[in-house]
Amino acid sequence: MGIQPTELVVSNTDEPEVKSQDVAGRSPTQIALDRLRHDKIAMVCLAVVAVFVLIAIFAPLLTDLFGVELEGGDPVTDTKADSFPAIGPPDYGFTWEAPLGLEPRTGNDLLAEWFYGARTSLGVATFATVAATLMGIVIGLVAGFARGWLDRVIAFVIDIFLSLPFILVALALAPIIVSRFGAQPERLEFVQLCALLFVLSVFGWMTLARLIRGEVLSLREREFVQAARVIGVPTRSILFKELLPNLVAPIVVSISLGLPAFVTAEAGLAFLGIGVVGIPSWGQTVNRAVEFFSTYPLFLYAPVVGICLLVIALNLLGDAVRDAFDPKTRR
Amino acid sequence: MTQPEVAAAPASTDGSGQRPILEVTNLRKYFPVQSAGVIRRTIGHVQAVDGVSFQVEQGGALGLVGESGCGKSTTGRLITRLLDPTSGSMKFNGREIGNLSNKQMLPLRKEIQMIFQDPYSSLNPRHTVGTIVGTPLRVHKMVPDKQVLTRVKELLEVVGLNPEHYNRYPSEFSGGQRQRIGVARALALQPKVLVADEPVSALDVSIQAQVVNLLQDVQKEFNIAFLFIAHDLAVVRHFCPDVAVMYLGKIVEIADRETLYARPHHPYTQALLSAVPDVKQAAIGGRRERIRLEGDVPSPVNPPSGCRFRTRCWMAQDICAKQEPPLLQIGPKHKVACHFAGEYGAMPTSPITLDALGVDQHGTPVSGAAPSTEDLIKPGFSDAYTNLETHKSSSERLVGDRIVDDPKGEGTATEK
Ligand SMILES: Nc1ncnc2c1ncn2[C@@H]1O[C@H](COP(=O)(O)OP(=O)(O)O)[C@@H](O)[C@H]1O
Ligand code: SF4
Ligand SMILES: [Mg+2]
C-alpha cells in the first residue's frame, strides 16, 4: 500500500550540496579520534600508558625474563644480620640479579614486586572504572528518562552516596571482612579484593550518573527523540541507541578522570593497609619502604615513580581526550 | 499513479476524499503547573489546547495557524500521541486513538507520522542518514533486513537527495536537505496522516518553497492527509484547502481556503490576514489596511473570561467578557467563534450567538430560552447553518427598536 518501491519518482532539487568530495561520512567520534591522533603529548602519554599496560599483562613473563621471582626471598641467605639485603643496593652496587634491589628483612625481589604491583594497580583501576561507568550510565539514563518519582528516588540515592565518606566506609569495611573471613586466609585475599573493587565502584558512579542524567534531561526534549517515539522505537532502544551515542563525550571524560583516580585510590588504600592483602601492590610497598627511606631510598622511589608516571600519563591523556571529544572546552 | 490499495479502500464517496481519516472532537490538553520546592503541589494548569474539534479528509490537508504559544504543536503532539490528552476524542479512520496504550498504539504509529520544525534537532547527530531513515523500516519490519538499505536509497531519491549519501552524518547537510531527510523518515512507514509542525519555519525563505513543493508532491503521490501547522497564513495558503485559525488553545475560525482568505469573519483572522502581503490587491493598486493588534497574548494559565481574544479585540463588548462565543457554523464550510462575526468593516451590531447560547445582548441568560441543541463541538460541517444575512436584518430591527426606546428613558424589556 502507499509508496511502492517501483513507483518512486525522483523529485529534483536545485539546492546546492554542502559537501560533495568524500561520500563516506565521518562520525563525530571519528573526528575526535583524528584530532587526538595529531596531539603529540597525547601520543607520548598513550605510549607510556601502553608500556604500563604491557608490563601489567606480561608481568609473569617479565619476571622470568629478568630472572627474578615474586616473594622468592629467603631472609637467611638474602639478607645480612642488619636485615639489609646481601646483594645490590643500598650497601652494594647495581646487580642484574636484583635490578631494583631486594627488600630488607624478607629478601624478596623488588622488581618482581614492582611488575606485579603495576598489574594490581591497572587491573583494579580498570575494573573499577568499567563497573562505575556502567553503573553511572545505566542509572543516569534511567533517572534522566524516567519522570516523576523514580527520578526523584535516584536523585536522592545519588545524594546519599555523595555524602557518605568514602575513606570511612573503606576503613570500616576492612575489619568486618577480616573478622569474618580471618579464619580462611585464601578466601580472605579474594574477599578483600572483591571488597576493594566493590567499594571503589560503588563510590565512583555518582558523578557520571549525575552528568548523564543532566544530559538526558536536555536531550530528551530534542526532536529526534520525539521522532523516535513517533516511529514507535522501544524505550530501551531510545535510551541505548538514540541517546547513548550522544553521551560519548561525558562518558569518555568520566573514564579519563576515573582511571587515574582509581590508581591513586588503590595505592592509597593499600598504603593504609585496607586495600588488597597478599597481592603485591605499590601502595603496600610504599608503606613498608617508608621506614627505610633514609637508608634505602630506592625501596621507596620505585613504587612512587611507578604511581606518579602512570597517573600523570593517564591525566594528560585524559585532558587530551577531553579536548578532542569536546572542542568547546579547549583552552 | 493511483495505488490499487488506495482505490480499493472503502471510499464512501466519489473519490474526492470526503471521508475523514482524522476526526478530533473537543480535544483538551492541560499541563499542570507545579509549585517549586520539595512537595510539589499543582497550583494551576496551562490550558494549552482547550476544546479543539476538526477533521482531516483522506488525502486532504488542513492548515492550523496561530501565533506561537497558541497550542499548535501540542495539538500535533496529541495526535501523534507524544502527549496524552486531558480529555476529548481523536479518531483515526473511525477508531479512537486517544486512550490507546503505547503498545496498542504501536501498529498505528505507521499510519500517523510527523515532520518536525527544527531540522537541526530532529535528526540524531550521531547516526548516519541511512540509520535515521532505516530505523522506522527496522522497527516496523517494513522490509526484510537485507533490503533496508535499498529502500533507504529509494526514499532518499523520492525526497530529492543523492541516494549514495546514505552513510553521511546530518551535520554534512544543509537545513533544507535535513528537512528532506526528515520527510524521507516519515515516508518510510507509508503513513496516511502526516502532522507537519511548522516544517519550513526554520528554513531560509528561498528553501521554504522547495520543501513545500516536495510535501505537495508526496501528498499527491501517496495520498497522504496533512495537518500542516504554521504560524502565518501565507505558508498554508497554497497547501491547504482547509484552514483553521487558533488563538490561545481554541480554534476561532475554520473554513475552506477561499472563504477564509477572501471573507474572514473573525477579528483575529482579519488581523492575521492583514499582515499577509496580497499580490492581487497590490496589483490593482489597493492596499489592505494593516490591523495592528495591541498587547500581548494572555497567559494560557489564566486565560481571559468569555472570549479569549477580548483583551486585544477592537470590537469587544460586555457580552464578550461574560459569554464564550461558540464555534458557530455560518456558511457551508465556515465556522467562526465570535459574537460579532462579520466581514471586516461590516460586522453586525448585535451578537449573532444569542440563540445558540440562550442569552441576551449583555450575556445574561434569558429565563426560558434554552441554548440551541446544535452540536457546537462537532468536527466537520453540517448542512444547516446560521445565516448571517437573516440575522443581520433582525439585528438591525433590534437595534432600531432600542434607538426608538431610549429617548423614552426606559431600557428595553430584556435589559431589565
Ligand atoms: N510540556 C509542557 N509543559 C508545560 N507547558 C507546556 C508544555 N508544552 C507546551 N506548553 C505550553 O503550552 C502552550 C502551547 O504550546 P505549543 O503547543 O508549543 O504552542 P505553539 O506550537 O503553537 O507555539 C504554551 O504556553 C507552552 O508554554
Ligand atoms: S467575541 Fe467579542 S472579543 Fe471575541 S473576537 Fe468577537 S468581538 Fe472580539
Ligand atoms: Mg510550535
Side-chain angles (χ1 to χ4, degrees):
Chain A
M1 109 185 92
I3 309 154
Q4 300 302 321
T6 47
E7 292 179 298
L8 300 172
V9 170
V10 187
S11 60
N12 54 333
T13 165
D14 21 36
E15 201 179 327
E17 283 184 27
V18 174
K19 267 192 217 164
S20 50
Q21 320 91 319
D22 55 327
V23 169
R26 289 159 76 232
S27 76
T29 307
Q30 283 168 318
I31 294 169
L33 289 179
D34 249 24
R35 228 180 266 142
L36 200 58
R37 221 165 282 141
H38 290 106
D39 189 334
K40 286 207 185 67
I41 296 178
M43 287 301 105
V44 171
C45 292
L46 188 65
V48 173
V49 173
V51 167
F52 274 98
V53 170
L54 289 177
I55 290 174
I57 293 172
F58 297 110
L61 221 66
L62 283 170
T63 45
D64 284 354
L65 198 69
F66 281 90
V68 290
E69 197 186 340
L70 189 64
E71 301 195 347
D74 180 349
V76 181
T77 54
D78 292 336
T79 57
K80 302 180 293 177
D82 62 355
S83 83
F84 276 95
I87 50 164
D91 297 338
Y92 310 97
F94 175 82
T95 162
W96 276 110
E97 258 179 83
L100 281 184
L102 297 177
E103 183 173 343
R105 289 203 200 111
T106 60
N108 285 341
D109 187 86
L110 288 175
L111 183 65
E113 180 130 344
W114 195 86
F115 286 152
Y116 278 89
R119 185 175 240 206
T120 309
S121 184
L122 273 172
V124 168
T126 309
F127 183 94
T129 308
V130 169
T133 306
L134 287 181
M135 279 172 75
I137 289 174
V138 172
I139 295 173
L141 278 176
V142 170
F145 210 70
R147 290 157 202 262
W149 64 270
L150 186 56
D151 180 28
R152 257 172 275 164
V153 166
I154 294 176
F156 184 66
V157 171
I158 290 178
D159 283 341
I160 288 190
F161 270 94
L162 280 174
S163 62
L164 280 179
F166 161 67
I167 283 289
L168 202 65
V169 172
L171 277 170
L173 213 55
I176 296 174
I177 291 170
V178 171
S179 70
R180 199 127 212 264
F181 296 92
Q184 318 135 275
E186 344 64 65
R187 287 285 302 283
L188 183 67
E189 273 176 28
F190 180 70
V191 173
Q192 286 276 66
L193 180 64
C194 290
L196 174 71
L197 293 174
F198 176 76
V199 168
L200 288 179
S201 320
V202 150
F203 278 93
W205 59 271
M206 294 85 71
T207 327
L208 179 62
R210 266 197 172 174
L211 216 65
I212 291 208
R213 176 177 171 272
E215 288 278 315
V216 169
L217 281 181
S218 83
L219 279 174
R220 88 175 170 196
E221 297 308 322
R222 298 272 291 275
E223 285 178 344
F224 69 82
V225 177
Q226 314 271 337
R229 291 181 55 208
V230 171
I231 287 166
V233 179
T235 307
R236 194 152 28 96
S237 300
I238 292 184
L239 286 179
F240 291 100
K241 289 194 184 150
E242 301 284 336
L243 292 180
L244 195 55
N246 286 284
L247 299 169
V248 171
I251 291 171
V252 165
V253 168
S254 159
I255 291 176
S256 76
L257 290 170
L259 271 176
F262 285 129
V263 168
T264 333
E266 189 277 325
L269 290 180
F271 176 78
L272 291 176
I274 52 177
V276 292
V277 288
I279 303 171
S281 157
W282 286 339
Q284 284 172 12
T285 318
V286 171
N287 187 5
R288 294 198 304 269
V290 168
E291 63 176 297
F292 295 101
F293 182 61
S294 50
T295 45
Y296 188 5
L298 182 63
F299 189 11
L300 184 66
Y301 283 150
V304 167
V305 166
I307 295 169
C308 287
L309 206 59
L310 182 57
V311 170
I312 288 174
L314 282 173
N315 270 328
L316 289 178
L317 183 62
D319 279 347
V321 167
R322 278 193 294 275
D323 287 349
F325 274 84
D326 196 1
K328 273 171 285 176
T329 64
R330 201 167 236 188
R331 288 170 296 267
Chain B
M1 234 184 248
T2 339
Q3 272 83 64
E5 288 91 337
V6 171
S12 57
T13 56
D14 48 355
S16 58
Q18 291 303 303
R19 213 168 77 100
I21 185 126
L22 185 69
E23 208 172 16
V24 172
T25 313
N26 210 14
L27 187 64
R28 286 204 162 80
K29 178 68 190 177
Y30 290 4
F31 294 106
V33 183
Q34 290 182 326
S35 60
V38 187
I39 302 155
R40 286 156 190 256
R41 277 178 310 119
T42 301
I43 51 172
H45 286 98
V46 181
Q47 305 178 8
V49 175
D50 195 11
V52 164
S53 304
F54 58 82
Q55 64 181 36
V56 187
E57 282 152 14
Q58 203 154 37
L62 174 71
L64 195 58
V65 177
E67 277 165 296
S68 108
C70 72
K72 308 180 298 289
S73 298
T74 306
T75 309
R77 275 154 200 232
L78 286 168
I79 291 163
T80 49
R81 288 304 311 278
L82 282 171
L83 296 171
D84 295 329
T86 305
S87 71
S89 128
M90 298 182 286
K91 286 200 170 110
F92 171 79
N93 239 344
R95 177 167 174 207
E96 177 64 42
I97 58 167
N99 52 11
L100 295 185
S101 69
N102 264 344
K103 211 176 195 172
Q104 293 169 315
M105 190 63 200
L106 190 61
L108 279 168
R109 296 238 171 248
K110 266 198 285 203
E111 317 281 3
I112 307 172
Q113 279 298 302
M114 187 157 182
I115 300 171
F116 291 86
Q117 174 172 2
D118 180 3
Y120 291 90
S121 99
S122 64
L123 306 178
N124 193 333
R126 298 271 169 174
H127 284 177
T128 61
V129 173
T131 313
I132 291 169
V133 180
T135 298
L137 298 173
R138 287 196 189 89
V139 168
H140 288 275
K141 306 204 166 40
M142 298 295 285
V143 291
D145 267 357
K146 272 185 231 145
Q147 287 170 38
V148 166
L149 184 59
T150 328
R151 188 83 182 94
V152 165
K153 289 186 185 178
E154 285 166 0
L155 285 162
L156 290 180
E157 216 162 330
V158 169
V159 298
L161 291 171
N162 183 343
E164 293 312 314
H165 289 173
Y166 66 88
N167 56 3
R168 289 195 174 180
Y169 287 84
S171 58
E172 297 169 72
F173 294 90
S174 67
Q177 289 175 319
R178 284 170 184 230
Q179 206 56 315
R180 286 171 192 270
I181 297 168
V183 174
R185 171 176 61 191
L187 289 181
L189 293 176
Q190 308 174 354
K192 294 209 184 70
V193 174
L194 244 179
V195 177
D197 188 359
E198 306 201 24
V200 297
S201 302
L203 303 178
D204 279 356
V205 179
S206 57
I207 311 291
Q208 286 189 357
Q210 293 175 13
V211 173
V212 171
N213 287 343
L214 169 71
L215 293 177
Q216 220 147 17
D217 289 349
V218 298
Q219 184 196 16
K220 282 206 200 88
E221 180 107 8
F222 308 122
N223 197 32
I224 299 172
F226 265 75
L227 178 66
F228 196 108
I229 297 171
H231 65 254
D232 69 90
L233 279 161
V235 177
V236 295
R237 182 166 205 161
H238 300 286
F239 199 93
C240 303
D242 296 299
V243 179
V245 177
M246 264 184 101
Y247 184 79
L248 218 55
K250 285 183 183 291
I251 290 183
V252 295
E253 186 160 14
I254 179 167
D256 60 307
R257 169 170 46 203
E258 290 68 31
T259 312
L260 192 99
Y261 284 87
R263 293 180 287 110
H265 273 56
H266 195 282
Y268 182 60
T269 316
Q270 290 159 0
L272 280 186
L273 261 180
S274 76
V276 174
D278 190 322
V279 182
K280 234 187 276 169
Q281 279 192 352
I284 57 171
R287 256 197 106 223
R288 203 160 33 194
E289 143 190 25
R290 172 98 191 244
I291 306 168
R292 284 193 188 283
L293 289 179
E294 277 157 27
D296 292 323
V297 185
S299 152
V301 180
N302 235 330
S305 65
C307 173
R308 294 193 169 186
F309 186 55
R310 74 177 158 88
T311 52
R312 302 167 79 192
C313 182
W314 62 93
M315 306 239 314
Q317 304 202 8
D318 290 357
I319 187 174
C320 301
K322 285 191 190 151
Q323 291 291 337
E324 186 183 322
L327 191 60
L328 207 61
Q329 185 169 347
I330 57 159
K333 291 195 89 190
H334 193 183
K335 285 183 177 180
V336 61
C338 170
H339 294 301
F340 299 96
E343 285 189 56
Y344 186 57
M347 319 280 262
T349 44
S350 80
I352 62 162
T353 49
L354 302 185
D355 292 344
L357 293 170
V359 296
D360 71 10
Q361 287 200 44
H362 303 278
T364 325
V366 178
S367 54
S372 82
T373 49
E374 194 188 342
D375 190 357
L376 292 166
I377 55 164
K378 185 170 96 73
F381 299 100
S382 325
D383 294 334
Y385 54 85
T386 311
N387 192 324
L388 287 191
E389 284 310 311
T390 43
H391 171 83
K392 201 170 177 187
S393 44
S394 69
S395 101
E396 261 152 21
R397 212 174 339 106
L398 200 74
V399 175
D401 282 353
R402 210 168 57 184
I403 292 165
V404 175
D405 279 355
D406 275 344
K408 291 181 195 159
E410 14 176 280
T412 51
T414 43
E415 266 173 312
K416 277 196 175 162

